[in-house]
Amino acid sequence: MDLPVAPPAFDATGDPGPHRHADRGADIGAGCGLVFLELTALVVIFGLWWRSGFDLDPASTVTADPLWNYLIAAGAVGAVALVAAVIAARAGAVVTVVTQGLMAALVCLIVVGGAAGQSHEDQRCREIPTAPGCRNSD
């Protein structure tokens, strides 16, 4: 006697859905490593900006470079963090997604704040070209 065969039940073990997670140790390591590299990049970028306005000669007047190019470089670091967060989300690496999301938000705040400050300084130098800190004051 032949009995009817039921179709196989849904099996989610091989599906790359929400139940798939990356190895937690590798996830934590990747998240911490990326944050370290991104913070190092930001320190180098803004260290170079600080260095542009630093001189050991007390008789010279040095003004720092405009912040715009350095903000673009910092924005690139934020874009890398955002891409890393998206890739980590697809891999199921929750810790890396959170750390990279926070890093992208931090860089966004730095870029917006720096742009506002530089815009204010540029406006001040347009109104009063001889103001301290303006390149036209020499």
Side-chain angles (χ1 to χ4, degrees), residues 51-103:
R51 173 67 182 95
S52 72
F54 180 76
D55 191 11
L56 291 175
D57 185 12
S60 67
T61 302
V62 179
T63 57
D65 291 340
L67 197 54
W68 296 115
N69 292 333
Y70 300 98
L71 291 176
I72 291 170
V77 171
V80 167
L82 193 60
V83 168
V86 169
I87 292 171
R90 291 182 54 97
V94 179
V95 174
T96 304
V97 170
V98 170
T99 57
Q100 292 306 292
L102 290 174
M103 196 68 195

Side-chain angles (χ1 to χ4, degrees), residues 19-76:
H19 298 292
R20 194 175 130 222
H21 295 289
D23 178 40
R24 191 67 64 199
D27 185 14
I28 292 170
C32 292
L34 285 170
V35 167
F36 174 75
L37 290 175
E38 290 157 356
L39 287 176
T40 301
L42 289 175
V43 166
V44 167
I45 289 167
F46 291 111
L48 289 172
W49 171 73
W50 178 80
R51 173 67 182 95
S52 72
F54 180 76
D55 191 11
L56 291 175
D57 185 12
S60 67
T61 302
V62 179
T63 57
D65 291 340
L67 197 54
W68 296 115
N69 292 333
Y70 300 98
L71 291 176
I72 291 170

